[in-house]
Amino acid sequence: MQVETERSDVLVIGAGMAGITCARSLSAAGQSVLVLDKGRGIGGRVATRRVALGEDEVSFDHGAQYIHARDADFAAVLDKAGAAIWDDGAQTRPLVGRPGMSALARDMAQGLDIRHACEVTALERVRDGWHVTTQSGVFRAARVIVTIPAPQVAGLLGPDHPLVAALGEVRMAPCLTLMAAFAPESPRPFVHRLDEGHPLAWIAQNSTKPGRSAAPTAWVAQAGADWSARHLERAPDHIAALMLPLLCDVIGADQQAVRHVSAHRWRYARVTQPLGQPFLCSADRSLYLGGDWCLGGKVEDAWASGRALAQDILARADVG
């Protein structure tokens, strides 16, 4: 029998943008909030990978490449978190974190109680709340907020749960990402390129973003949905070996000159059919589901879902 470890008003599963946003709002309102995440980082796809290359260090924003803030409140959150304009030669003025995209999520998560490498394996409704089972023990909370990708919810709640049925129309697609570093004198034909007809639908010169080192030159390439789906189950090294020649062909670089190459598999990166509302909840409002997949595939969609989750809970909770 596993031992109950801690109790909280709210337990959030997932430390991505939706989970962090919701947890921060609830914590600021005086509720005790615990966040559990099976990974080692914060921010989900708002992610940065750093690699040491001798005396140099190179970083890759291998998830979300940039953010456009349409909501004034979201823009204010990003500004407080240190977001900077990426001068990409366009008129859209995209925002990025410094020194990497993950810096935005880390700033937003300051002060939160987040447990990493803590995978939730079961949820059980009990008389006064929920038991949340992990390998570290069983946590108890009055409310549970699940912000994992929609296709993974059934594995946690069970296929017959009524909220799972409501997710039937949500569709998500994968994205395979290549990270490659070259010497500073290597070709740099553009800052970024979008070509949905090419296997590498998006290519960005990551080292042109503010706060990044220009030595060596870092490139991030993200494969299109079809190409990603076709090669999804290959090993990361194999994926990198397939993507590197495609990148070198586009930018005119020599494969032999690469100083670092690796690949990352985002199984649920793209939202091709969103839910169409900011969250779902049980009839007693003790269980909530949210994430970017509720409204779209952008970082702001995840933030909007997290904000709406918190607002709904606070509207009904006696917090003072």
Side-chain angles (χ1 to χ4, degrees):
M1 179 179 179
Q2 288 185 304
V3 178
E4 181 183 311
T5 56
E6 297 177 48
R7 299 188 184 204
S8 58
D9 295 326
V10 179
L11 188 144
V12 178
I13 301 173
M17 183 60 66
I20 290 172
T21 299
C22 181
R24 183 166 181 162
S25 295
L26 295 176
S27 180
Q31 296 208 358
S32 60
V33 183
L34 176 63
V35 182
L36 306 181
D37 194 282
K38 67 178 182 180
R40 294 174 295 175
I42 295 171
R45 293 192 301 277
V46 184
T48 302
R49 181 176 298 180
R50 292 173 176 82
V51 178
L53 298 176
E55 297 181 355
D56 299 321
E57 182 182 82
V58 62
S59 67
F60 305 92
D61 296 323
H62 60 299
Q65 295 294 291
Y66 56 83
I67 301 173
H68 285 133
R70 297 160 292 181
D71 186 288
D73 289 342
F74 185 48
V77 168
L78 295 177
D79 182 65
K80 185 178 182 299
I85 295 172
W86 179 22
D87 184 8
D88 64 346
Q91 302 298 316
T92 55
R93 299 171 66 83
L95 298 172
V96 297
R98 291 182 297 180
M101 290 296 290
S102 61
L104 299 173
R106 287 198 306 273
D107 182 90
M108 294 175 63
Q110 285 186 12
L112 294 178
D113 187 353
I114 301 177
R115 312 294 172 86
H116 300 286
C118 191
E119 183 174 2
V120 175
T121 57
L123 293 177
E124 180 187 2
R125 186 71 168 99
V126 294
R127 182 178 57 83
D128 57 349
W130 290 85
H131 282 172
V132 180
T133 302
T134 74
Q135 291 182 341
S136 303
V138 179
F139 298 85
R140 171 173 282 190
R143 286 187 176 90
V144 171
I145 301 172
V146 179
T147 64
I148 63 179
Q152 295 179 330
V153 172
L156 195 58
L157 300 183
D160 298 327
H161 194 282
L163 290 184
V164 172
L167 298 176
E169 299 301 317
V170 176
R171 296 289 182 270
M172 303 186 76
C175 178
L176 300 180
T177 299
L178 177 75
M179 294 159 276
F182 298 85
E185 63 272 14
S186 63
R188 292 179 289 172
F190 50 79
V191 174
H192 62 70
R193 188 199 76 156
L194 175 66
D195 182 356
E196 295 181 353
H198 191 275
L200 303 186
W202 168 264
I203 301 174
Q205 191 183 153
N206 199 85
S207 44
T208 63
K209 296 178 180 179
R212 279 71 167 173
S213 172
T217 302
W219 291 90
V220 172
Q222 294 179 328
D226 291 343
W227 198 94
S228 294
R230 191 161 59 250
H231 300 285
L232 181 62
E233 302 305 334
R234 297 182 184 273
D237 287 349
H238 192 175
I239 293 169
L242 292 174
M243 295 180 73
L244 180 61
L246 297 172
L247 173 65
C248 289
D249 181 64
V250 172
I251 66 175
D254 184 350
Q255 290 187 56
Q256 303 305 314
V258 68
R259 294 187 58 188
H260 170 81
V261 60
S262 60
H264 185 84
R265 175 172 43 214
W266 298 104
R267 188 173 294 275
Y268 302 113
R270 297 179 170 98
V271 180
T272 57
Q273 179 60 55
L275 177 67
Q277 62 190 64
F279 62 85
L280 290 170
C281 63
S282 59
D284 63 359
R285 279 182 153 74
S286 70
L287 176 65
Y288 287 77
L289 308 180
D292 60 353
W293 50 266
C294 290
L295 298 170
K298 305 297 185 183
V299 175
E300 185 167 359
D301 295 321
W303 172 84
S305 175
R307 179 176 66 167
L309 285 164
Q311 288 174 340
D312 191 81
I313 292 170
L314 293 176
R316 292 163 173 80
D318 180 9
V319 296

